[in-house]
Amino acid sequence: MNVNGKPIPCAAGMTVQTLLDTLGHDRQRVAVERNGQIIPRARFAEELLDESDAIEIVCFVGGG
């Protein structure tokens, strides 16, 4: 699959939550889009990924 334009291997049974954990992202501070559709945070643990998916991860950054 492609994550933010880069190829990443997709293991069988990988969920959005697993992907975020693997990449070191805080699930509370990101938005995830799969093939053009926003995935609700409540579905991260159950949303299965596929090798053909295009994933975009946007990290929220605070500051001032």
Side-chain angles (χ1 to χ4, degrees):
M1 82 182 123
N2 281 315
V3 177
N4 292 349
K6 296 179 182 176
I8 301 280
C10 180
M14 180 178 271
T15 64
V16 172
Q17 182 172 314
T18 305
L19 174 65
L20 293 173
D21 290 345
T22 300
L23 296 175
H25 291 295
D26 179 350
R27 293 186 298 265
Q28 298 302 313
R29 298 180 57 92
V30 298
V32 180
E33 180 184 272
R34 176 184 182 208
N35 302 325
Q37 299 292 318
I38 299 286
I39 299 173
R41 189 171 288 115
R43 294 192 41 88
F44 283 2
E46 58 197 51
E47 192 75 27
L48 292 173
L49 300 174
D50 185 79
E51 189 65 36
S52 64
D53 286 335
I55 305 294
E56 292 293 326
I57 300 172
V58 178
C59 299
F60 302 116
V61 178

